[in-house]
Amino acid sequence: MNGRKELDELLRTMPRVWRGRRPQANEGAAIPTGFQALDRALPEEGWPFPALMEIAVPAWGIGELQLLLPAMRYVQESGKRLAWIAPPYLPYAPALADAGIDLNRLLLLDKLSNDKDIWWSAEKLLRSTACGMVLAWPRKLSPFAVLRRLQLAATEGRCLGILLLTALPADTPAALRLRLEAGEQGLWVHILKARGMPLVNAVLIGGSDDRAPN
Amino acid sequence: MALQTLPTAPAIPLSSPAEQISATPQPVPATLWLCCYLPHLPLEVFKLEDDRPAAVWEDSGGRSLISAVTPAAAAFGIHPGLPTNAALALCADLRLYRRDQPMEHEALETLAETGLGFTPWISLDYPAAVLLEIRASLSLFGGLDALMQRLRTELEDQGHQVLLAAAPMPFPAWLMASSGLERTVENPAALRSGLGDLAIVRLPIERDTVKRLAKAGLHTLRDLWRLPRDGLARRYGLALLRQLDRAAGREKDLPRLFRTPPVFEAHRELAAETESLAYLRPVCAALLEDLAAFLRRHDAATDRLELDLSHFRRPATRLELKLRYASRDPERISMLLNERLERTPLPAAVTALSLRCDSLQPYRAHETDLFAADTPGALDWEALLEQLQQRLGHDALRFLGASADHRPENAWNWNASPIGIAIGKERRPLWLLPKPRPCDPTRYRLLPERERIESGWWDGAPIRRDYRVAVSPEGVRAWMYRELDGNGGWYLHGLFA
């Protein structure tokens, strides 16, 4: 155990040693996902930060928010704000409060007339230093140039931008892209792309469908 | 290679002894009042642009008399005091304007605003003149001559001819300027000799007294100053003596200071009608620069302003800009205004822009609280919210709140203070459908969890529902209910996202 730590330290301090699995620049800068299995699977041991990520959700309501709730709490606890841009439904305040989200520090942008407004406000919020995490639900597939802008904005504003989409564009500059799938046992998280090398390509999180009643 | 040792530099004295001596405190300098007298103000307010003869007349005891003339009119022999009929007889083309004193006063106020750029001490107590106390501003502007030159240029740019004179007291300064003497008398003791050749007529005393003095061969102030004071007072009254003392700067003279009404109004005509924002933006920027200068002078900030875009034969388009917090930063306001301009449809080409701002607040520098560690960049955040609000509309920005109600649709609200009053311990979905949607329960697999909500009989919106959690074939966990009253139908109400 001790020896491994020393070896890690040695490798870390030797700039000439390239370590494939973890991107070196961002070491230790990830946001814990709150799910051990997922943390272990992701090359950065958490959600990449600061970065843009994409999550493909085949149908709203399969658990996409549950997946992100621990990270949201983490961001709020670190003193930053959350922003949700154009969610598909009404976020239900009592449930959010129950989940430990500070509603005062959750900005909701609603009634956006088009995707252009969504991109525009996403970029503004990502660039803002006050925001730690921005969730956006764009209606259409977004062009590469837009995604690139958002990725840059997230990096410059030190923010985690998450796009929740029903289908993923072919090409993306995002640091991480996932696909969710509802399974009998819980939520399957497929890791489609990650900076560094993911260990596994799918993780099951959450209990079974019957975990709920208590 | 051996390192060369550098000789230690000799300590440079902070200031030479000679400088220290000159820095000894000097006695507080006396005031210095600069008078800008506007001899042609009654004509200038009409903004005559050509050289055709024109004159201003006013009512004087039932007769209309000429009170000011242009050089072109003067060439016809028209002079102030002439009846208008006589003037028209001399020049048939003469354009006559009735004297407009409110407009003159307005013009003076505008000039006083300009003067505020030079000193905060401004008075409009004297007719057709702006008085500025400039002693404290001299070093900033590089001396009296430089200051006068700058002031003259600024006033002339606004279309006014001025006569400038400076004296330690306002009255002698005004006397000199209004008599056409552009002099500077800085030393109070030199006032008497400086004003010596001034005509007695210039003093605000009764005409009779002036006539009696003239009969005695006294025409200038120097003549009076040579006479014994008690004799003067006995023969011509104390009023004359008082005016003399005022002229000599012996009497304390504290003029009322000019205070601007805190409203900013600016108007710009466009050179050509345009709908293009590229042309409007610089004009807006110029207006906002003016506004910022105005706010700086008043040490104020604003949180509301109105921009009117005038159209030809159409009501103007009005943009009302409300800021989330008061500011005077032209860049910030400009950014917000541009945001609004881009999203405001213009019904027609714009001919002119006018900016108005009457909501002034005391300016406070950015409040940075050392101890508010939990709000990094709180001000940036406000600015960002503001920008979002300007573009997306007022109701696009929301904050959620929870309220104590058993009815799911009533247990949340917008913008309320989200005190977490959770009623009951049952699980609630993260997504709520704004309106429950009828659904087919056979598509779903119902989970054993169930909850009956029966509430709201007191306010006319009662509900009686059996809530269930169900899983759709796609794996969506739904929150649905069966109506216990009415048609007994199934409705989808939320999603456990």
Side-chain angles (χ1 to χ4, degrees):
Chain A
M1 196 67 189
N2 233 353
R4 200 194 143 183
K5 238 182 203 162
E6 273 166 30
L7 188 64
D8 264 356
E9 193 54 43
L10 194 65
L11 286 172
R12 201 194 304 276
T13 49
M14 291 195 13
R16 292 196 180 177
V17 177
W18 182 76
R19 301 166 80 210
R21 211 188 138 225
R22 301 188 197 291
Q24 304 224 337
N26 274 328
E27 213 151 302
I31 295 179
T33 63
F35 302 95
Q36 280 187 3
L38 194 56
D39 277 349
R40 276 199 299 272
L42 290 169
E44 294 177 58
E45 295 182 344
W47 302 127
F49 180 86
L52 181 74
M53 59 184 269
E54 293 168 353
I55 302 180
V57 185
W60 305 126
I62 60 170
E64 67 273 16
L65 289 183
Q66 293 293 341
L67 176 70
L68 299 173
L69 274 176
M72 291 188 223
R73 280 195 294 267
Y74 178 87
V75 165
Q76 282 199 333
E77 275 160 23
S78 66
K80 299 277 188 149
R81 292 170 186 274
L82 292 180
W84 291 17
I85 303 170
Y89 299 104
L90 189 69
Y92 193 43
L96 281 171
D98 233 27
I101 300 292
D102 176 2
L103 297 179
N104 268 329
R105 303 171 67 77
L106 167 64
L107 170 70
L108 205 63
L109 293 187
D110 200 14
K111 298 192 175 169
L112 300 194
S113 48
N114 53 32
D115 267 15
K116 240 166 104 184
D117 279 348
I118 296 180
W119 299 133
W120 180 83
S121 31
E123 195 194 346
K124 288 278 172 208
L125 287 163
L126 284 169
R127 244 177 237 287
S128 143
T129 46
C131 248
M133 191 165 165
V134 176
L135 273 69
W137 284 262
R139 301 289 181 259
K140 288 185 293 230
L141 283 186
S142 18
F144 185 85
V146 169
L147 296 173
R148 175 94 192 110
R149 270 187 85 97
L150 294 184
Q151 162 73 19
L152 274 177
T155 324
E156 279 168 26
R158 297 205 55 76
C159 188
L160 174 61
I162 302 180
L163 302 180
L164 292 123
L165 305 150
T166 43
L168 292 176
D171 204 4
T172 178
L176 178 69
R177 68 187 338 194
L178 307 174
R179 184 165 60 81
L180 303 188
E181 189 191 350
E184 283 296 308
Q185 309 299 314
L187 186 68
W188 279 101
V189 180
H190 299 272
I191 301 167
L192 307 181
K193 174 195 169 184
R195 281 197 296 227
M197 203 164 61
L199 281 188
V200 286
N201 47 22
V203 181
L204 181 72
I205 63 160
S208 68
D209 276 345
D210 307 323
R211 75 194 140 138
N214 46 21
Chain B
M1 195 176 84
L3 277 174
Q4 206 177 346
T5 49
L6 290 167
T8 45
I12 301 161
L14 286 173
S15 57
S16 63
E19 278 167 349
Q20 280 172 356
I21 289 165
S22 70
T24 46
Q26 290 175 350
V28 179
T31 54
L32 185 63
W33 287 89
L34 181 67
C35 175
C36 313
Y37 181 75
L38 300 134
H40 305 300
L41 184 66
L43 274 165
E44 279 161 355
V45 293
F46 293 105
K47 300 210 186 315
L48 307 172
E49 271 165 9
D50 48 17
D51 297 333
R52 295 197 352 240
V56 174
W57 62 275
E58 64 184 320
D59 250 1
S60 161
R63 296 169 70 202
S64 46
L65 299 180
I66 301 288
S67 60
V69 293
T70 59
F76 283 92
I78 299 166
H79 57 86
L82 205 66
T84 44
N85 293 341
L88 282 172
L90 286 170
C91 170
D93 289 340
L94 184 71
R95 281 178 302 164
L96 283 170
Y97 297 91
R98 194 191 180 119
R99 189 164 174 205
D100 192 342
Q101 276 176 325
M103 228 158 89
E104 286 173 30
H105 192 72
E106 259 177 46
L108 280 179
E109 282 185 346
T110 315
L111 293 179
E113 296 253 0
T114 312
L116 282 172
F118 292 85
T119 171
W121 310 103
I122 300 234
S123 173
L124 295 180
D125 273 4
Y126 292 88
V130 182
L131 278 136
L132 305 94
E133 204 287 299
I134 47 157
R135 175 68 76 189
S137 316
L138 287 182
S139 52
L140 176 65
F141 287 91
L144 184 62
D145 288 340
L147 188 147
M148 275 162 65
Q149 189 53 45
R150 225 167 122 175
L151 186 64
R152 192 189 294 273
T153 324
E154 278 199 28
L155 297 190
E156 277 170 6
D157 284 350
Q158 296 181 30
H160 294 288
Q161 271 189 45
V162 284
L163 292 169
L164 296 175
M169 299 300 261
F171 183 63
W174 179 79
L175 262 185
M176 289 194 290
S178 63
S179 314
L181 295 176
E182 294 208 283
R183 277 188 200 161
T184 302
V185 181
E186 285 201 53
N187 187 355
L191 266 180
R192 281 176 60 153
S193 58
L195 293 174
D197 45 4
L198 215 68
I200 296 173
V201 193
R202 293 288 169 185
L203 289 181
I205 48 175
E206 285 176 23
R207 294 281 138 194
D208 277 356
T209 319
V210 177
K211 275 183 195 155
R212 280 168 61 206
L213 287 166
K215 275 181 193 157
L218 303 168
H219 298 285
T220 63
L221 295 191
R222 187 172 293 114
D223 299 338
L224 290 178
W225 272 319
R226 283 183 182 142
L227 296 177
R229 286 172 64 84
D230 53 343
L232 260 184
R234 216 169 34 242
R235 279 168 193 256
Y236 302 102
L238 271 173
L240 176 65
L241 209 57
R242 180 162 302 136
Q243 294 299 337
L244 275 179
D245 281 352
R246 270 181 87 195
R250 283 208 200 124
E251 203 153 288
K252 272 265 172 281
D253 193 356
L254 285 175
R256 284 171 300 156
L257 287 184
F258 168 71
R259 290 267 173 264
T260 45
V263 177
F264 175 83
E265 272 172 309
H267 183 81
R268 294 265 169 130
E269 295 283 340
L270 298 182
E273 292 189 15
T274 179
E275 269 182 89
S276 153
L277 288 182
Y279 292 107
L280 292 180
R281 263 192 224 109
V283 186
C284 278
L287 283 172
L288 289 175
E289 282 294 336
D290 289 353
L291 173 67
F294 168 85
L295 291 172
R296 266 199 303 278
R297 279 188 222 128
H298 290 271
D299 197 28
T302 185
D303 62 350
R304 187 156 45 86
L305 39 101
E306 287 161 8
L307 180 74
D308 275 351
L309 303 140
S310 314
H311 308 293
F312 183 62
R313 286 191 185 158
R314 255 173 198 273
T317 308
R318 170 161 291 191
L319 286 184
E320 203 172 322
L321 196 69
K322 280 190 187 142
L323 311 181
R324 289 178 69 95
Y325 65 95
S327 165
R328 68 178 185 197
D329 176 9
E331 275 177 35
R332 172 169 168 251
I333 301 177
S334 170
M335 189 178 70
L336 297 173
L337 198 62
N338 282 339
E339 210 68 73
R340 279 292 293 278
L341 268 177
E342 272 167 29
R343 305 184 67 79
T344 307
L346 294 174
V350 179
T351 58
L353 294 175
S354 44
L355 186 68
R356 185 187 151 82
C357 165
D358 56 2
S359 160
L360 294 199
Q361 297 180 2
Y363 176 71
R364 284 180 298 176
H366 281 196
E367 283 157 351
T368 42
D369 190 349
L370 271 177
F371 303 103
D374 66 328
T375 50
L379 212 69
D380 294 348
W381 178 246
E382 282 294 315
L384 175 68
L385 289 187
E386 193 165 78
Q387 215 184 340
L388 291 167
Q389 185 175 307
Q390 293 299 340
R391 165 147 178 170
L392 306 174
H394 200 79
D395 51 354
L397 266 68
R398 313 252 199 157
F399 288 92
L400 287 166
S403 42
D405 200 308
H406 284 287
R407 286 165 294 181
E409 49 268 66
N410 292 22
W412 69 277
N413 50 39
W414 293 121
N415 271 328
S417 66
I419 314 157
I421 316 165
I423 299 184
K425 279 280 157 230
E426 280 77 18
R427 230 154 47 92
R428 288 283 178 266
L430 284 165
W431 289 141
L432 193 72
L433 272 62
K435 230 180 135 187
R437 190 194 301 160
C439 68
D440 174 16
T442 56
R443 269 191 75 239
Y444 294 82
R445 180 164 57 87
L446 293 177
L447 298 182
E449 193 177 353
R450 50 175 79 219
E451 182 188 358
R452 173 164 295 184
I453 299 179
E454 198 171 339
S455 184
W457 48 267
W458 56 86
D459 61 3
I463 59 163
R464 272 183 77 221
R465 299 167 183 170
D466 264 349
Y467 276 90
R468 298 294 293 267
V469 179
V471 182
S472 81
E474 301 87 42
V476 177
R477 300 164 61 81
W479 199 45
M480 48 177 42
Y481 67 84
R482 193 158 69 92
E483 199 81 79
L484 292 176
D485 299 327
N487 58 7
W490 283 87
Y491 293 89
L492 181 67
H493 203 179
L495 303 168
F496 291 89

